[in-house]
Amino acid sequence: MIKKVLIANRGEIAVRILRACKDLGIQTVAVHSTADEDAMHVRLADESVCVGPPQPRESYLNIPAIISAAVISGADAIHPGFGFLSENSTFAHMVEEHGLIFIGPKADHIAMMGDKIMAKKTFARLGLPTTPGSDGAVNDISKALKIADKIGYPVLIKAAAGGGGRGMRIAQTKLDFTEAYETARREAGIAFGNDRVYVEKYLENPRHIEFQIIADKFKNAVHLGERDCSLQRRNQKVWEEALSSVLTPEFRDNFGRKIAKAVGELGYLGVGTLEFLYEKGELYFIEMNTRIQVEHPITEMITGVDIVREQILVADGNKLSFSQDEVEFRGHAIECRINAENPETFIPSAGTITNYHCPGGPGVRVDSALYAGCKIPPYYDSLIAKLIVHGADRRQCLARLRRALSEYVIEGVDTLIPLHLKLVDHPNVIAGNFDIRFLERNFQAG
Ligand code: ADP
């Protein structure tokens, strides 16, 4: 039985994991860089270990330092959170080699889904619809051109090892193709050390819809419904909703069960998210994330399932505590990502929080590691808080969100709160009428 968990992360997700551990009576070990000595996750943990200097490479990505910290502190499991080492199959493998439990899927599944070509092939074989495109990597420009001609322009050239919205190039017409293809390969080689690329139909105005799944080692896999994460800038999400307003309950039930079945057949363990693009009534699989997602709380709000708790329990060999038939969806939830960024240019903003007031009241949850006086170092992701709001329906949810956003005070750094205040009053957002290009079209985000 897991008695002590080392949390290999920082910020709000480290605090979120800590809370799930405390609820389960599990001891916690925080790791931190020298820039995070006074961070909230360090203060709240039972123990903490400094694993290196500020640069992520030397601290939060420093595998030997993190595994040593787990061994020295007597932890029996490591939770990687998201980002950092969470989708690093070598790390997952090494954790297990040291006799520790990795709170995540098996290393082989992480590696399989980390290769987007393999992921697409796997789910196509298991009967899920995928975006039209090449049947695998295309290493030859003439073959690539033939495929592009066949599926029709515009097309997207994507890196097999891409992630975080990086590693994609669009070719609007045949004339752009050669340059886009060659740039994509070159950039993928430099950024990911792997220049395999594939070609996919570029969908012009899709929505981003993703399904949350969770599976135990007994091959019970369930889905917890979907999230609409269409409000994005630079292919990165800023506002998420559960459920989406475009799927009918029958479609959700059928499609969700199909996904859960596919994941069960793979023998997948733990939480995961299958991402799809939705256009003209069709869903197309694009990738699977093999970790807890930033936006998991909205699913928690509408299902009442503590996903991080379940993730820890299934990693520890337990059976899922509920079945598919017991999953019920109640009301509507929205998450606003509060990034420390300029709300117009999205340039990250580091500094010290000089004043902090957190919203509350019915339906409001804030996941953050903020406090007045805390530092926002320049070295890490700009996500500093998540405002999550639940309502009996979407209308009530939006009203509560408007109220919560207007109460929220974060001074000392720029944040996305002003952008969210505009979004919550935008007629298209109120009507639920948007796709993945909406934000960039309407808010001139770069
Ligand atoms: P990442 O791993 O970088 O998140 P994804 O494959 O999940 O990469 O794509 C990220 C985002 O890029 C999607 O949410 C969508 O906005 C856009 N995108 C990806 N594939 C396509 C496509 N075929 N057509 C149009 N947009 C796409």
Side-chain angles (χ1 to χ4, degrees):
M1 221 184 88
I2 296 177
K3 293 200 180 67
K4 199 187 246 192
V5 170
L6 179 135
I7 301 160
N9 217 300
R10 65 182 300 283
E12 68 81 22
I13 192 61
V15 172
R16 169 71 189 89
I17 296 162
L18 235 145
R19 288 176 172 150
C21 290
K22 289 195 180 190
D23 289 353
L24 284 163
I26 293 173
Q27 295 280 107
T28 52
V29 184
V31 295
H32 65 91
S33 71
T34 50
D36 276 339
E37 272 165 1
D38 298 321
M40 187 59 102
H41 74 284
V42 177
R43 294 181 173 204
L44 292 179
D46 296 307
E47 294 166 51
S48 64
V49 182
C50 180
V51 286
Q55 275 70 27
R57 208 172 353 102
E58 298 180 64
S59 47
Y60 296 104
L61 293 171
N62 183 341
I63 295 179
I66 287 172
I67 293 185
S68 303
V71 171
I72 292 164
S73 60
D76 31 34
I78 296 186
H79 196 309
F82 50 65
F84 295 128
L85 295 168
S86 61
E87 289 176 295
N88 181 322
S89 59
T90 309
F91 177 63
H93 185 69
M94 282 177 73
V95 169
E96 305 248 300
E97 291 240 293
H98 282 79
L100 302 164
I101 294 171
F102 179 75
I103 302 178
K106 295 286 159 228
D108 291 350
H109 284 135
I110 299 177
M112 178 190 275
M113 299 306 164
D115 181 333
K116 293 182 168 196
I117 294 176
M118 182 91 89
K120 247 182 114 171
K121 277 192 173 171
T122 303
F123 285 112
R125 179 172 55 76
L126 291 166
L128 296 187
T130 58
T131 324
S134 59
D135 197 22
V138 271
N139 305 322
D140 175 84
I141 180 92
S142 61
K143 260 194 219 144
L145 263 168
K146 267 192 205 130
I147 292 161
D149 277 343
K150 201 170 130 212
I151 57 180
Y153 289 90
V155 299
L156 205 55
I157 299 122
K158 293 172 95 171
R166 295 178 308 137
M168 282 181 246
R169 283 270 152 178
I170 177 171
Q172 290 290 355
T173 67
K174 197 167 183 161
L175 292 174
D176 310 329
F177 190 83
T178 307
E179 199 194 322
Y181 176 83
E182 271 158 14
T183 312
R185 280 196 74 169
R186 199 171 49 243
E187 285 181 354
I190 296 167
F192 313 113
N194 173 351
D195 72 351
R196 284 162 67 241
V197 296
Y198 59 109
V199 180
E200 202 170 84
K201 174 90 188 142
Y202 178 79
L203 301 172
E204 311 243 18
N205 301 107
R207 283 179 177 254
H208 174 114
I209 289 185
E210 57 183 35
F211 274 80
Q212 175 73 56
I213 58 99
I214 180 159
D216 64 24
K217 70 170 186 185
F218 308 101
K219 295 202 172 189
N220 297 307
V222 301
H223 77 91
L224 295 174
E226 83 282 10
R227 298 181 282 257
D228 184 321
C229 314
S230 300
L231 294 176
Q232 306 181 350
R233 56 102 180 73
R234 294 188 191 131
N235 293 333
Q236 290 174 342
K237 304 158 188 167
V238 297
W239 163 304
E240 299 102 344
E241 306 201 14
L243 297 164
S244 87
S245 47
V246 292
L247 303 187
T248 63
E250 300 73 46
F251 186 95
R252 170 175 308 118
D253 189 45
N254 288 333
F255 199 76
R257 283 177 194 265
K258 205 167 156 181
I259 294 171
K261 185 161 172 277
V263 167
E265 277 173 33
L266 282 178
Y268 186 87
L269 175 68
V271 302
T273 301
L274 279 86
E275 297 191 333
F276 298 83
L277 293 177
Y278 172 91
E279 198 169 68
K280 300 188 186 109
E282 302 286 335
L283 283 168
Y284 303 98
F285 172 81
I286 49 171
E287 70 162 346
M288 178 173 186
N289 292 317
T290 54
R291 53 168 159 82
I292 190 79
Q293 304 253 134
V294 173
E295 57 273 25
H296 76 276
I298 50 175
T299 303
E300 298 187 320
M301 300 295 267
I302 59 158
T303 58
V305 173
D306 180 335
I307 299 176
V308 179
R309 175 193 178 93
E310 291 294 326
Q311 184 190 21
I312 296 169
L313 289 173
V314 297
D316 204 10
N318 295 290
K319 216 172 144 228
L320 264 183
S321 71
F322 57 92
S323 68
Q324 188 68 64
D325 290 339
E326 286 168 314
V327 176
E328 275 177 41
F329 304 112
R330 280 179 302 274
H332 193 85
I334 298 178
E335 173 181 278
C336 291
R337 294 194 189 195
I338 315 289
N339 294 355
E341 286 172 15
N342 180 295
E344 276 157 25
T345 61
F346 298 120
I347 292 171
S349 170
T352 300
I353 303 296
T354 50
N355 192 12
Y356 186 68
H357 173 76
C358 188
V364 175
R365 162 176 169 183
V366 174
D367 278 19
S368 95
L370 296 175
Y371 61 91
C374 79
K375 291 196 184 69
I376 309 298
Y379 314 101
Y380 313 113
D381 192 273
S382 58
L383 179 75
I384 55 170
K386 304 187 305 205
L387 173 60
I388 304 124
V389 177
H390 183 256
D393 52 25
R394 192 166 182 273
R395 205 183 141 100
Q396 185 184 51
C397 186
L398 284 169
R400 287 177 167 179
L401 179 58
R402 200 170 289 121
R403 178 234 310 154
L405 281 165
S406 68
E407 282 179 23
Y408 211 164
V409 178
I410 304 177
E411 286 170 8
V413 295
D414 290 339
T415 76
L416 294 189
I417 292 174
L419 171 71
H420 288 300
L421 279 166
K422 282 187 203 160
L423 283 173
V424 81
D425 280 331
H426 195 289
N428 288 54
V429 175
I430 292 170
N433 176 20
F434 46 75
D435 57 51
I436 62 170
R437 319 262 171 244
F438 172 83
L439 204 73
E440 297 194 353
R441 264 196 319 261
N442 291 276
F443 292 86
Q444 286 157 17

